[in-house]
């Protein structure tokens, strides 16, 4: 089973906007996909989305048998803001010692909220996800008093990466988030976590939701599905 969290800067996105991704992963990875309709900002600020993501993951672990799944083969995944939620859920699962995830699928995830990496400057204009739009998203999601450096906001800042589930990280070449994606891969690898990184050089942030228009989006969904299938098969 894959618990999936959609992207959208914590303020937009829905079950419908990411239906093509979830259906593709369901068919090609041959798994049950639980797409989570978590609460959105600005009505529901940080950490509401995290609380919902965590609650949904726990529910799936508890009710796996009832929905036809295997409680020993649960993965979490998501894109952009949903990738951030995936990374946070993986960290929280480890910290709480609850049912461990077998895999984390991180599609151009937000991992560090300060926007201090060089790629934010290099690709912050003209490539769909702009610096202005990121600021708009974060200002709606976070309150001024929130500590955005905390690992529940910025999972790249977690103290301990050891023992996290194996990961597949996908990044895009014209994406402001690509440097923080690569930094997350490096931290996982340094901690001994099995991680594969696939970089789609000519793509923009959000491209995976466009399989009807971009062939690389179809390719990316297939690659994600293949990595999921490998993770599930390894646990049989």
């Amino acid at each position: 089973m894959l618990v999936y969290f959609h992207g959208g800067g914590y303020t937009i996105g829905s079950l419908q906007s990411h239906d093509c991704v979830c259906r593709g992963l369901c068919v090609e990875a041959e798994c049950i996909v639980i797409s989570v309709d978590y609460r959105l900002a600005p009505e529901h600020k940080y950490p509401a989305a995290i609380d919902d993501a965590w609650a949904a993951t726990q529910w799936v672990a508890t009710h796996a048998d009832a929905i036809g799944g295997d409680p020993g083969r649960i993965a979490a995944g998501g894109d952009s803001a949903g990738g951030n939620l995936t990374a946070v859920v993986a960290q929280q699962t480890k910290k709480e010692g609850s049912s461990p995830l077998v895999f984390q699928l991180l599609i151009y995830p937000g991992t560090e909220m300060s926007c201090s990496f060089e790629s934010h400057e290099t690709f912050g204009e003209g490539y769909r996800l702009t610096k202005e739009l990121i600021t708009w998203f974060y200002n709606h999601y976070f309150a001024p008093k929130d500590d955005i450096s905390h690992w529940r906001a910025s999972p790249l800042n977690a103290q301990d990466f050891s023992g996290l589930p194996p990961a597949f990280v996908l990044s895009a070449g014209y994406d402001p988030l690509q440097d923080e994606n690569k930094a997350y891969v490096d931290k996982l690898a340094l901690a001994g976590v099995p991680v594969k990184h696939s970089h789609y050089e000519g793509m923009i942030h959000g491209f995976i939701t466009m399989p009807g228009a971009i062939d690389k989006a179809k390719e990316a969904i297939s690659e994600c599905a293949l990595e999921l299938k490998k993770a599930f098969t390894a646990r049989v």
Side-chain angles (χ1 to χ4, degrees), residues 106-107 109 167-171 181 184-185 188 195-199:
L106 304 168
I107 303 169
F168 175 62
V169 180
L170 184 149
S171 58
N181 297 165
Y184 205 77
V185 170
L188 287 168
V195 57
K196 179 179 178 181
H197 179 207
S198 187
H199 186 61

Side-chain angles (χ1 to χ4, degrees), residues 33-106:
V33 176
I34 300 94
S35 187
V36 180
D37 191 22
Y38 58 89
R39 289 172 293 169
L40 299 176
E43 292 82 2
H44 305 284
K45 289 186 175 293
Y46 169 86
I50 295 169
D51 292 342
D52 288 356
W54 175 247
T57 305
Q58 294 298 102
W59 187 93
V60 170
T62 303
H63 296 86
D65 291 331
I67 57 176
D70 181 349
R73 290 191 289 169
I74 300 172
D79 62 290
S80 193
N84 169 276
L85 298 177
T86 301
V88 172
V89 164
Q91 284 278 355
Q92 191 158 341
T93 299
K94 186 187 78 165
K95 289 178 183 295
E96 306 234 354
S98 56
S99 299
L101 300 170
V102 300
F103 192 71
Q104 48 181 328
L105 174 63
L106 304 168

